[in-house]
Amino acid sequence: MKTMKRNVSFWLLGFMLLSAFTAFSGVPEKALADASLPATGTSDIKPSSILQISGGKGFTVLLKKDGTVWTWGDNLRGKLGSGLNNRNQPTPISGLSNIKAIAVGQSHSLALKADGTVWAWGENTFGQLGDGTTVDRNSPVQVADLTHVTAISAGNFHSVVVKDDGTAWSWGDNTYGQLGDSTNTAQNKPVQVKGNIVSVKAIASGAYHTLAIDQDGVVWAWGDNYFGELGYGYDQNRLNTPIMVTSSYWHITQIAAGFDYSMALKDDGTVLTWGLMTSDPSSMYNAVNSGTEEQKLPLLVTGLENVTQISAGTSHAVALKKDGSVYAWGDNTSGQLGVGTAYDGKTWNQTFPDHVDGLPEIARIGAGTNFTFAVGKDDSLWAWGNNSYSQLGDKTLDNQPAPIQIQVNTWINPPVIKPGEGTVIMKSPKVLPLTAGENDTFVIKNNRLYGWGSNTFGQLGVGSNSSKIAPEQLKLEQAVAVEAGDAHTVAIKEDGTLWTWGQNFFGQLGDGTTTARTTPAQVNALTGVVAAAAGSNHTIALLNNGSVWSFGDNTYGQLGHDRSVESNQIVQLSNIVAVAAGSNFNLALQNTGKIWAWGDNTSGQLGDGTLAGKQQPVEINGVTGVVAIAAGKNYALALKEDGTVWAWGYNAFGELGDGTITTQTKPVQVTGLMNIKSIAAGTYHSIAIKNDGTVWVWGQNLFGQLGDGSKTNQNKPVLVKNLGSADAAAAGGTHSIVKLKDGTIWSWGGNYTGQLGDNTLTNRSLPTLISGLSANFNDLAGHWAKDSILQAAEKGFVEGYSDGSFLPDHAITRAEFLKLAVKAMNVPVSSARTDQAWYQPYVDVLQKTGILQAGDLQADWDLPITRQEIATLALRFVSPELQKMNTVVTPNFVMLGAVNKGILQGLNAGNLAPAEATTRAQAVIVMERILKVQQGISLPVDPLAVEQAKQSSGNSQ
């Protein structure tokens, strides 16, 4: 490498041209040296979210004022500090917080924390990460044995810092003495810079040389000096201890270093340069003196005054003036000067500083190897130069010869929608009546939550750690949805509050502690929760404003954000309508039908075509129009609006259902499944319910969890036989559970912890009915309709109240009766929209079927329904000819028809009392009779009521 530089220098001696040289073929590009922020005295600057921006070889690092670090571009050797893939837009580095400075080398980076520690990532061939190894790191590691640091800098393959006692420390490559420790031996841990320099205040690293400013404003230098970059009057040598460069009369405030040149900013706003900026024979120049090819001593840059900040790329320099204007000079091969193209369409190098046009008033600048950034005082971000890896942040690979405004600010400052803020896109929590965890099961029935199975960590929520082999009720009222993880459980109540219990080692309960709980406790930080999901040791919650929040274990990036950030929101996600959690990864469904995924990806479960984990959500391509999602241990399912099911991820047991046992990193269609209405994913097996209520299963069957009577794995869906029509299903670790339309609960599979709830520990390969879930209302003793009410509750037609009562003799409202009717019909009902009343979906269902037509009911839905109105709905229920649209019926006609069929009976002496209200108990009896008539069963008729109905009908004629 250096031999090549010598050959070039001898060839250059034949030319009386200008100096400051660009990198040439065979020589690694120079990374940005550390550059100070604008000096005091700069004109007023609007507070910016960007504190610092720097670039290395094909990648960019940005530091926000909130202390987070964002990267994008080339990710070879882990340069981006997260993941393995290149990225064309910024993502934060997980685990880095409270950062106050960054420094970027050719392929490695440093970050200085507020606590004085230094963290590093990227290439480590020469030990430049300082962690005592030479192993590359794709995530930050702490530099060993180093504290109290106040400033950092990164060269091509070495790193330098300043401590608060004024000493300088360095590590990495030392071929040219750039560590300043009086040796030429590489170091993989920090060593102190030796020599006469004391009280170091600032540092800057070139490719193979280092600069420092002492307390008196004097510049010192050490390392490679082949082209005079040390600035002390000699060249073609190297120094392994610091030497003084500038006079004490020149008070230097900032320094910067390129590949083979150096820069310094004086306190009067003028700039000094020395060394060799470029070796391009077609345009060799020197911004100081056009008579030589290199400068061995610092000389003034002509025509540049009132400068507040300097920055150095490989072979180009950038200066920011007090008035907010930007000037650049040097190599322009990739357009890094930002001065546009010449008359011939080419990007010519510039001998002297040239004004960069097209920029607003600029607050700070930053340079990469051959590209440049500028941050406007209005917080806009501008970029130009090389863009081979999309490092400019414009999501293209096109070089830019002039400044373009990029939308990085949009990505690094996504809106944080707090609970209760933003537009509500889902009014009510999504009903999820059953769930299966790794070894436990939960069911919501009759407005009560039941659990059974493993309880080692209190995950059943019953106040103990004892496992249960039969259903036991939890003391949590008004639960409408429940989800189970490996050893913790989450539930959502009607009021949108989130409740958690069980294992809490990683804080997955979201209560601010790591203490396990055996009873439900509210997550006070969240309101308006409409859905939640539990992974192995983490939890995600979906709010009614479409935002997603997470807490717990983040080992695989499954939280989608840095655990140390103030907010637990995954800010990259918006307009989300469903979430699902696998063991260590997650899915989110957007209202556009797109799926986003993040976390562990060792089995391709993120569906992005790779095996690289993602700490932030990525969109899954290849499957659109999705209406439901499900996540297994390390695979995923998606249900499309056309009724087909798609799968990806781990497939050793055939859980993808594509007829193979080959793991897939992209979505593939499940074989032979059509007309599907719901899906569920367990550890290694899957369940789907068709529109006709049949249940289909595939995947692992070691414990009989497929319910087909065998223990043979299936890589294609098979039918669960001899099971009634189902409307909900859940898949656990090795067991399955289904709710039928008649309200009964069935389970099968592994039962070694009692997770089947059949009061045994016997595994079952065929469905078995679960008992012990009957309603037990506290105000039905001795009531004439007790048995009918309990049967209706068992089937899920009616619910009681949170205090355990049913209130059988209270009047039922029109809206409540419509809900009862729809539930008895077993018709799926969507959640109410934000602009709808809670009962509107039930109204819509009955109007669509023709059971409810114009004029059948009065308009006030919250008032008691009358006997005549019930008669109208009842007669339409059992009379298909009356369900035809615009079929008008009269009050007397419906009363006569209802009593003739035995649906309605008279009160005292056959009194029809059409205007009287109906009680909750009477409504249950009426619905019971309606269902019997639909089944063709003849009911006893009240003759007095029939006679009175005939008289009323005759009188009306």
Side-chain angles (χ1 to χ4, degrees):
M1 186 179 295
K2 286 298 179 179
T3 301
M4 181 178 292
K5 290 172 69 174
R6 291 189 181 92
N7 291 339
V8 172
S9 68
F10 287 130
W11 178 79
L12 289 173
L13 290 176
F15 295 84
M16 294 298 293
L17 298 169
L18 307 174
S19 69
F21 295 78
T22 188
F24 40 87
S25 178
V27 181
E29 293 185 27
K30 167 68 184 76
L32 170 70
D34 183 65
S36 302
L37 293 175
T40 53
T42 303
S43 56
D44 290 339
I45 298 174
K46 174 186 175 181
S48 170
S49 63
I50 301 173
L51 182 62
Q52 197 178 347
I53 185 167
S54 302
K57 188 175 182 180
F59 73 105
T60 302
V61 185
L62 181 148
L63 172 61
K64 287 182 61 178
K65 280 193 173 180
D66 64 5
T68 59
V69 178
W70 301 63
T71 59
W72 65 96
D74 180 31
N75 199 22
L76 182 66
R77 309 195 74 165
K79 289 187 283 190
L80 299 187
S82 62
L84 300 174
N85 297 334
N86 299 346
R87 295 198 295 268
N88 61 9
Q89 72 178 57
T91 54
I93 298 179
S94 182
L96 275 188
S97 59
N98 298 316
I99 303 301
K100 68 175 187 178
I102 54 173
V104 184
Q106 175 172 280
S107 299
H108 80 289
S109 301
L110 306 177
L112 172 60
K113 279 196 169 186
D115 63 5
T117 60
V118 179
W119 298 71
W121 62 94
E123 183 186 356
N124 199 24
T125 304
F126 297 93
Q128 57 262 48
L129 301 188
D131 65 343
T133 76
T134 54
V135 178
D136 293 354
R137 306 288 186 178
N138 61 9
S139 60
V141 293
Q142 186 173 352
V143 176
D145 307 324
L146 194 63
T147 57
H148 299 283
V149 175
T150 59
I152 55 176
S153 180
N156 263 21
F157 307 110
H158 76 288
S159 306
V160 189
V161 303
V162 178
K163 297 179 71 170
D164 56 11
D165 60 2
T167 59
W169 296 72
S170 57
W171 60 94
D173 180 29
N174 200 22
T175 306
Y176 300 97
Q178 58 263 49
L179 300 188
D181 66 342
S182 76
T183 77
N184 293 93
T185 304
Q187 302 288 341
N188 57 25
K189 289 185 179 181
V191 293
Q192 186 172 350
V193 175
K194 298 181 179 179
N196 295 324
I197 187 172
V198 294
S199 299
V200 177
K201 298 301 180 185
I203 48 173
S205 299
Y208 306 102
H209 72 289
T210 308
L211 307 177
I213 304 175
D214 68 14
Q215 62 182 356
D216 298 320
V218 174
V219 176
W220 296 70
W222 59 95
D224 182 34
N225 192 40
Y226 198 83
F227 291 110
E229 50 262 55
L230 299 189
Y232 73 103
Y234 294 89
D235 63 3
Q236 299 194 34
N237 66 342
R238 57 191 180 190
L239 299 177
N240 57 21
T241 55
I243 190 170
M244 185 184 295
V245 178
T246 61
S247 166
S248 58
Y249 296 107
W250 288 347
H251 191 266
I252 305 300
T253 60
Q254 291 180 39
I255 46 178
F259 197 90
D260 285 317
Y261 75 98
S262 304
M263 301 173 64
L265 175 63
K266 295 173 62 180
D267 60 359
D268 63 1
T270 58
V271 178
L272 302 169
T273 62
W274 58 95
L276 183 69
M277 184 174 288
T278 180
S279 57
D280 183 356
S282 66
S283 180
M284 285 175 281
Y285 44 80
N286 188 309
V288 183
N289 187 334
S290 61
T292 62
E293 72 280 2
E294 69 178 50
Q295 292 298 324
K296 303 172 187 177
L297 293 168
L299 291 177
L300 196 65
V301 176
T302 305
L304 201 58
E305 298 176 338
N306 298 315
V307 174
T308 60
Q309 187 187 354
I310 54 176
S311 187
T314 296
S315 300
H316 78 289
V318 188
L320 173 64
K321 297 183 69 173
K322 186 176 182 179
D323 62 5
S325 60
V326 177
Y327 287 76
W329 66 100
D331 179 36
N332 199 28
T333 305
S334 299
Q336 59 262 51
L337 300 187
V339 294
T341 56
Y343 66 93
D344 56 0
K346 296 181 179 180
T347 52
W348 286 87
N349 301 338
Q350 298 295 321
T351 302
F352 295 97
D354 198 357
H355 181 256
V356 180
D357 295 326
L359 291 174
E361 200 171 353
I362 297 301
R364 54 181 57 85
I365 53 176
T369 53
N370 48 7
F371 53 100
T372 311
F373 292 99
V375 182
K377 293 182 179 179
D378 59 0
D379 212 21
S380 59
L381 184 59
W382 302 75
W384 58 93
N386 188 271
N387 201 25
S388 300
Y389 295 93
S390 199
Q391 64 263 39
L392 296 187
D394 64 346
K395 302 191 80 168
T396 77
L397 298 176
D398 302 326
N399 292 353
Q400 299 293 342
I404 59 168
Q405 186 173 0
I406 56 177
Q407 302 305 311
V408 167
N409 266 317
T410 302
W411 296 322
I412 67 174
N413 296 303
V416 175
I417 305 175
K418 297 179 180 179
E421 296 181 348
T423 302
V424 174
I425 64 175
M426 290 169 288
K427 186 174 182 179
S428 304
K430 292 188 174 183
V431 175
L432 189 65
L434 68 170
T435 186
E438 185 66 21
N439 297 304
D440 52 26
T441 308
F442 294 87
V443 169
I444 300 173
K445 192 173 184 183
N446 307 319
N447 206 29
R448 291 170 170 82
L449 175 59
Y450 298 87
W452 60 89
S454 177
N455 196 28
T456 305
F457 298 96
Q459 60 262 45
L460 293 186
V462 294
S464 73
N465 295 95
S466 300
S467 297
K468 307 295 178 181
I469 60 176
E472 183 156 335
Q473 185 179 344
L474 283 74
K475 295 180 179 178
L476 183 68
E477 304 294 342
Q478 298 181 335
V480 294
V482 61
E483 278 275 12
D486 279 4
H488 77 289
T489 313
V490 300
I492 305 170
K493 295 178 68 170
E494 286 181 353
D495 59 6
T497 56
L498 181 66
W499 297 70
T500 59
W501 60 94
Q503 189 185 59
N504 197 26
F505 185 76
F506 293 94
Q508 58 262 48
L509 300 188
D511 62 354
T513 77
T514 54
T515 304
R517 289 183 176 273
T518 60
T519 56
Q522 184 178 346
V523 179
N524 292 316
L526 296 179
T527 57
V529 179
V530 294
S536 284
N537 295 296
H538 73 285
T539 303
I540 56 176
L542 171 63
L543 272 55
N544 56 14
N545 57 18
S547 64
V548 180
W549 300 66
S550 62
F551 38 92
D553 183 25
N554 200 28
T555 303
Y556 296 89
Q558 60 264 51
L559 296 188
H561 60 74
D562 191 329
R563 281 188 63 182
S564 59
V565 299
E566 181 178 353
S567 168
N568 287 325
Q569 184 187 350
I570 305 175
V571 294
Q572 291 86 354
L573 295 175
S574 60
N575 297 316
I576 301 301
V577 294
V579 291
S583 283
N584 298 301
F585 78 102
N586 306 291
L587 305 174
L589 176 61
Q590 205 164 27
N591 58 4
T592 58
K594 296 179 180 179
I595 305 175
W596 298 80
W598 65 99
D600 182 28
N601 198 26
T602 51
S603 298
Q605 58 263 50
L606 300 189
D608 66 343
T610 77
L611 298 175
K614 305 294 186 298
Q615 294 172 313
Q616 289 81 37
V618 294
E619 183 181 343
I620 298 178
N621 296 314
V623 58
T624 56
V626 176
V627 295
I629 51 177
K633 180 181 178 66
N634 47 11
Y635 76 100
L637 302 177
L639 172 60
K640 294 183 65 173
E641 57 191 355
D642 62 3
T644 60
V645 179
W646 296 70
W648 59 93
Y650 191 66
N651 197 28
F653 302 98
E655 54 265 53
L656 300 190
D658 65 342
T660 76
I661 54 172
T662 303
T663 293
Q664 302 287 345
T665 62
K666 292 183 178 181
V668 295
Q669 187 171 354
V670 176
T671 302
L673 276 188
M674 300 293 291
N675 301 314
I676 301 301
K677 70 174 183 179
S678 67
I679 52 176
T683 296
Y684 297 122
H685 74 289
S686 307
I687 306 176
I689 301 177
K690 283 193 173 185
N691 290 330
D692 61 7
T694 55
V695 177
W696 297 76
V697 292
W698 63 96
Q700 189 188 59
N701 200 24
L702 179 64
F703 293 88
Q705 58 260 53
L706 298 189
D708 63 351
S710 76
K711 293 185 179 180
T712 304
N713 298 341
Q714 300 288 344
N715 58 22
K716 294 181 181 179
V718 295
L719 175 66
V720 179
K721 298 178 182 179
N722 302 318
L723 191 65
S725 183
D727 66 2
T734 59
H735 70 293
S736 304
I737 182 169
V738 165
K739 176 180 176 291
L740 300 187
K741 289 182 178 179
D742 64 7
T744 58
I745 306 296
W746 297 72
S747 64
W748 60 90
N751 197 25
Y752 39 86
T753 63
Q755 60 262 52
L756 297 189
D758 64 350
N759 210 32
T760 76
L761 293 173
T762 304
N763 297 341
R764 300 186 184 276
S765 59
L766 291 172
T768 183
L769 177 66
I770 306 304
S771 59
L773 298 172
S774 300
N776 185 22
F777 302 115
N778 59 24
D779 57 351
L780 294 184
H783 196 277
W784 63 270
K786 175 181 177 181
D787 291 343
S788 293
I789 292 171
L790 292 179
Q791 289 175 12
E794 179 73 17
K795 295 176 181 179
F797 299 171
V798 295
E799 300 169 346
Y801 295 95
S802 59
D803 62 357
S805 66
F806 183 78
L807 303 181
D809 297 321
H810 280 222
I812 188 170
T813 67
R814 296 183 177 95
E816 289 171 339
F817 185 80
L818 294 187
K819 179 180 178 181
L820 167 61
V822 172
K823 282 184 170 291
M825 293 170 61
N826 284 310
V827 178
V829 180
S830 60
S831 299
R833 299 194 310 268
T834 58
D835 59 341
Q836 291 180 324
W838 68 267
Y839 50 78
Q840 188 60 48
Y842 301 102
V843 175
D844 294 341
V845 167
L846 294 179
Q847 287 179 336
K848 185 176 181 180
T849 58
I851 294 174
L852 176 62
Q853 298 192 26
D856 287 350
L857 300 179
Q858 297 180 37
D860 199 334
W861 299 99
D862 293 324
L863 291 181
I865 190 169
T866 66
R867 285 169 55 82
Q868 179 219 301
E869 290 172 328
I870 282 187
T872 303
L873 296 178
L875 197 60
R876 289 195 191 274
F877 249 111
V878 299
S879 308
E881 68 277 10
L882 298 182
Q883 296 172 11
K884 295 178 181 179
M885 295 303 167
N886 302 315
T887 300
V888 179
V889 293
T890 64
N892 291 327
F893 173 80
V894 297
M895 292 298 289
L896 179 59
V899 295
N900 270 332
K901 291 183 180 292
I903 297 175
L904 208 65
Q905 296 185 348
L907 301 180
N908 296 328
N911 181 19
L912 296 178
E916 283 195 19
T918 302
T919 68
R920 287 167 58 83
Q922 291 169 340
V924 170
I925 298 300
V926 168
M927 187 53 61
E928 183 180 74
R929 293 171 181 169
I930 290 173
L931 295 176
K932 287 180 179 180
V933 172
Q934 284 184 323
Q935 296 169 16
I937 300 174
S938 296
L939 301 178
V941 175
D942 181 351
L944 294 178
V946 171
E947 184 62 28
Q948 205 172 104
K950 287 181 178 179
Q951 291 178 3
S952 297
S953 179
N955 293 334
S956 65
Q957 293 180 353

